[in-house]
Amino acid sequence: KFNAAAASVFGSGWAWLGVKDNGELTITSTPNQDNPLMSGVAKEMCKPVLGLDVWEHAYYLKYQNRRPEYIAAWWSVVNWDKVTELYTAVKK
């Protein structure tokens, strides 16, 4: 779901893993510089714990217009300890 959210962003934007107010995890995306804390921007508002920048400046030099390859490679550099720390903090 996360990869699909990232790949579906038209133009520039972000994919997010976040925590909704009820404590459930959700995956969403936002255009441009927007984030899921901003009302009316994301399909579901949430507190982000993981974000993927899909603006071309994030990947164009290495991947050109091959966004799916960039998304697949990005998983190898995710700092899961930090994601866990952020998730734990949001759940309190």
Side-chain angles (χ1 to χ4, degrees), residues 3-14:
N3 286 16
S8 69
V9 173
F10 179 77
S12 300
W14 292 79

Side-chain angles (χ1 to χ4, degrees), residues 9-89:
V9 173
F10 179 77
S12 300
W14 292 79
W16 303 96
L17 173 65
V19 181
K20 297 189 290 187
D21 286 341
N22 65 5
E24 291 180 8
L25 285 171
T26 187
I27 295 170
T28 192
S29 61
T30 57
N32 304 314
Q33 72 283 352
D34 298 342
N35 68 67
L37 294 170
M38 301 167 71
S39 179
V41 174
K43 290 178 185 175
E44 293 188 86
M45 288 186 65
C46 63
K47 295 176 181 135
V49 296
L50 177 67
L52 171 58
D53 182 353
V54 291
W55 287 55
E56 283 188 347
H57 69 248
Y59 63 88
Y60 193 82
L61 288 177
K62 185 168 184 176
Y63 295 96
Q64 290 77 46
N65 61 352
R66 300 184 316 271
R67 185 183 285 181
E69 286 182 42
Y70 161 70
I71 295 166
W74 173 81
W75 288 106
S76 68
V77 297
V78 171
N79 182 340
W80 289 110
D81 291 337
K82 187 64 176 180
V83 173
T84 300
E85 176 188 323
L86 293 169
Y87 175 73
T88 301

